[in-house]
Amino acid sequence: MSAPPVPDAPSPFDASWRQEAGAGLDADGLALIDQAVAWSVPRFEGQQALTGEPLASHGAGVVRILAGLHTDAATRAAALLAALPTDLTVPAPALRNDPVATAFGAEVARLVQGTRALLRLGVVARQASDAVAETGSQKEMQRKMLLAMAADLRIVLMRLASRLRTLRWHAESKTPCSTDFARETLDLYAPLANRLGIWQIKWEMEDLAFRFLEPDRYKQIARLLEEKRVEREAFIAGAIERLQTALAKHGIDAEVSGRPKHIYSIWNKMRVKRLDFSQMYDLRALRIIVDDVRACYTALGMVHEMWTPLSDEFDDYISRPKPNGYRSLHTVVADDDGRPFEVQIRTREMHQFAEYGMAAHWRYKEAGAKGGQVAASSEYDRQLAWMRQLLAWNSDVEAGDAPAADTPETARPAAARSGPGKSRHAAAAPAPTDERIYVLTPQARVIELPAGATPVDFAYHLHTDLGHRCRGARVDGQMVPLQTRLATGQTVEIISAKSGGPSRDWLNPQLGFLASPRARAKVRMWFNAIELQQRITQGQALVEKELQRLGKTAVNLEQLAQNLGFARADDLYVAAAKEEFSLRQIDAVFQQPGPAVEPQPAALRHASAGSAEKSGKSGVLVVGVGSLLTQLARCCRPAPPDAIAGFVTPGRGVSIHRSDCHSYLALAAREPERVIEVAWGETPADTFYPVDISVRAHDRSGLLRDLSEVFARLRLNVVGVNTQSRQSLAHMVFTVEVRGGESLARALDALAEVPGVSSAARR
């Protein structure tokens, strides 16, 4: 079919271009290319890219590159159409409203939209104001690429080809190329091409980007290569002739050629291995391509007979292929003058894979066995293989793995390290892209969410408080309902209130506000916390009302809760509010069958000014943390030199407990993440610590007076007392201010000597 006449067609779309662009296509494929040319040429007229390159030339060059990668007709046509000028700030239209879909069908339109989505992400990233996005974090950049790439491998090939074409144009036109553009190529696009095995593009990208980034070093290595070029070419020509003659004598049909050496890989190897240019043994290299594997090993034996092999420099990647699928024989031999050179031996099929990688297999879609090879027949298989490659590449660079300095076979996909059929990604079904989506913040940070996620899920992922206060959202600049399902590549902005909480409707799965279990759990926690606080308030009112009825309003509520079997007073309140605890049990604690002991001793006073509890100067140091609010727990009342531990209490800083405190042990078992290491520091001599002293004695008249006199004689300030008497036995708990363990020990010894006292101990 002849190309349709285009009166004002620019030179890029001439007959030679059509021949290259249509290479390997059938009549329908050629017709699609011709249709794309006729549709796009009028729209290309006078249009230029931001770099200054005519868009028509750019589109034509991209199609040439893709034809060299053996892509299908839809990919080539879509690449030409994607080069047309477009406003990247406007979201892509629905397919039913897309003129490309109307003219060329949904497949081509999806490829064009996917390519433009990548360009749109690049624009957003460059305009980002967020410091995190501007750091150039490689992980973030890789995920930005992943957003649109994972949809279809062909979109990736189109993007790589477009980047390579732009680099070529800068080199051909001698137009300066920005260092940011060249650096992005080396950091992102070249490693991606390497992971896909498209080393033909990888090497050229690296050389061109290196040329713009380091022009002096590039010219230096190029000059050194040129100085040795005549000698090198003469040696290569002689070696090729010698090898071809020997192979022909053995009846082996082979193609023997010199293997090109790339400037960036030379510089990278010199830099990594700290070698001088003269120490680069593999500047001279041969490649032998034969029909089958048996011929590979035959050729290897002949090479080792003709030249002296270096035993440490032989690699058999045929019997032990690289995880990325690369297969070849590599050997290094020394010539007659003792100078080493490299020889690669492979079959034509291996060479096809080595040159084009995964792109080579895109061309073959037929199912079943062919030539002893089984091709991936389904879209799912190709998609899964592609995702394995991208995920492995992302993991490798996260771990700090450098890309190969020279040979493509050094790439090691993490997904393949476990051996054939054992990839950790292989078990995933459905395809990974159906399970996760990737959206952007207005600052161009990439957020990973489950498929079906809404703006509310997005808000909770950023921050729990932002999720609670979420009231609206903009997606790609447009206000949307909070139930809107987000899609990969969209930019989401949350509109929040200054205060407030979530709606209970968000927990209704029928309304579709939340898709993330994590976000749903945060909403539940908020309502649970509100309900808990309400129960505590309600229960506290019930308990205090009961204490008023009993005339016990001065009771230590924390101690009362522990006497009733609760770790904290809050637990008592909740149980009372939920009617899981009978308030009559409080009365039982205060039942006093025997004669009551006088409740107020003469020694009872207010806490002194130097009290650690009153002044807050406990002298406790929180290990590893600066100034942090601490308070001595009333349940165990620690004092130096007690062994102590800290427990972080929301809103009240760190509570300091004795290490053997039952309340602390219960809290630590329930919430171990709140335990923090503490120690006694230096405290002023005038600091007092309140401690509880438990005294058990036979009840008698004047007992409380005698005990009070002991405290007065030792000059100990009694700030609290609680007494109980049952069946002529008295149990009294005194809260006394002491300076430390020594004064406490003297008090216990003196109390034990009071007549009728059976025991006096620290509580």
Side-chain angles (χ1 to χ4, degrees), residues 410-422:
T410 54
R412 295 181 57 83
R417 289 186 183 127
S418 56
K422 297 181 181 178

Side-chain angles (χ1 to χ4, degrees), residues 619-635:
V620 176
L621 302 178
V622 180
V623 178
V625 183
S627 57
L628 196 62
L629 176 66
T630 61
Q631 61 176 358
L632 301 177
R634 293 187 177 185
C635 54

Side-chain angles (χ1 to χ4, degrees), residues 147 432-439 446-454 485-490:
L147 297 180
T433 47
D434 294 332
E435 297 176 354
R436 311 298 293 174
I437 62 169
Y438 300 85
V439 295
V446 180
I447 303 299
E448 182 183 16
L449 296 170
T454 66
R485 288 195 168 196
L486 302 176
T488 290
Q490 291 178 328

Side-chain angles (χ1 to χ4, degrees), residues 60 114 137 228 256 287 317 379 416 422 472 500 513 519 528 543 583 749:
S137 167
K228 300 287 185 179
V256 185
R287 178 176 290 144
Y317 296 123
E379 180 69 26
K422 297 181 181 178
F513 281 100
N528 288 343
V543 171
L583 295 176
D749 292 339

Side-chain angles (χ1 to χ4, degrees), residues 628-631 647-655:
L628 196 62
L629 176 66
T630 61
Q631 61 176 358
F647 188 82
V648 178
T649 306
R652 290 181 289 177
V654 179
S655 294

Side-chain angles (χ1 to χ4, degrees), residues 417-703:
R417 289 186 183 127
S418 56
K422 297 181 181 178
S423 167
R424 64 179 181 271
H425 303 297
T433 47
D434 294 332
E435 297 176 354
R436 311 298 293 174
I437 62 169
Y438 300 85
V439 295
L440 293 116
T441 68
Q443 295 78 31
R445 281 188 287 176
V446 180
I447 303 299
E448 182 183 16
L449 296 170
T454 66
V456 184
D457 291 303
F458 175 86
Y460 274 108
H461 185 96
L462 292 180
H463 196 281
T464 301
D465 185 58
L466 180 64
H468 292 337
R469 296 183 290 109
C470 175
R471 296 296 179 267
R474 291 189 183 93
V475 174
D476 291 334
Q478 302 295 320
M479 289 292 297
V480 298
L482 290 180
Q483 300 102 316
T484 302
R485 288 195 168 196
L486 302 176
T488 290
Q490 291 178 328
T491 299
V492 185
E493 180 183 359
I494 297 300
I495 300 170
S496 61
K498 290 184 178 179
S499 60
S503 166
R504 287 195 179 272
D505 288 343
W506 294 0
L507 292 174
N508 187 341
Q510 305 299 324
L511 298 179
F513 281 100
L514 293 170
S516 166
R518 181 170 173 243
R520 196 175 290 113
K522 289 183 176 182
V523 176
R524 285 200 189 98
M525 286 176 62
W526 192 89
F527 283 111
N528 288 343
I530 294 295
E531 183 180 355
L532 176 63
Q533 190 58 48
Q534 291 173 346
R535 289 187 184 277
I536 289 175
T537 303
Q538 179 185 358
Q540 185 174 6
L542 292 172
V543 171
E544 290 178 348
K545 184 177 180 180
E546 178 67 13
L547 290 173
Q548 286 178 355
R549 187 183 71 79
L550 296 173
K552 303 291 184 179
T553 55
V555 171
N556 184 319
L557 294 173
E558 292 289 342
Q559 290 184 7
L560 174 64
Q562 292 177 29
N563 290 337
L564 292 168
F566 296 94
R568 298 180 303 172
D570 286 353
D571 297 336
L572 168 62
Y573 302 151
V574 171
K578 295 170 69 175
E579 298 183 354
E580 296 175 352
F581 168 78
S582 174
L583 295 176
R584 293 180 180 178
Q585 296 181 45
I586 297 177
D587 188 19
V589 173
F590 295 105
Q591 286 180 0
Q592 300 177 356
V597 181
E598 187 179 344
Q600 294 290 338
L604 187 62
R605 299 172 185 162
H606 294 293
S608 63
S611 170
E613 188 174 68
K614 184 175 181 180
S615 67
K617 299 178 181 179
S618 63
V620 176
L621 302 178
V622 180
V623 178
V625 183
S627 57
L628 196 62
L629 176 66
T630 61
Q631 61 176 358
L632 301 177
R634 293 187 177 185
C635 54
C636 58
R637 297 195 184 275
D642 293 336
I644 55 175
F647 188 82
V648 178
T649 306
R652 290 181 289 177
V654 179
S655 294
I656 309 302
H657 295 259
R658 284 155 53 191
S659 298
D660 58 352
C661 172
H662 295 294
S663 179
Y664 162 74
L665 294 175
L667 292 170
R670 185 169 55 188
E671 297 176 282
E673 69 277 4
R674 292 193 181 184
V675 174
I676 191 168
E677 186 178 355
V678 295
W680 294 110
E682 294 184 4
T683 56
D686 58 348
T687 300
F688 296 89
Y689 296 86
V691 297
D692 289 339
I693 297 177
S694 173
V695 177
R696 296 183 182 274
H698 293 282
D699 195 16
R700 62 176 176 82
S701 178
L703 175 63

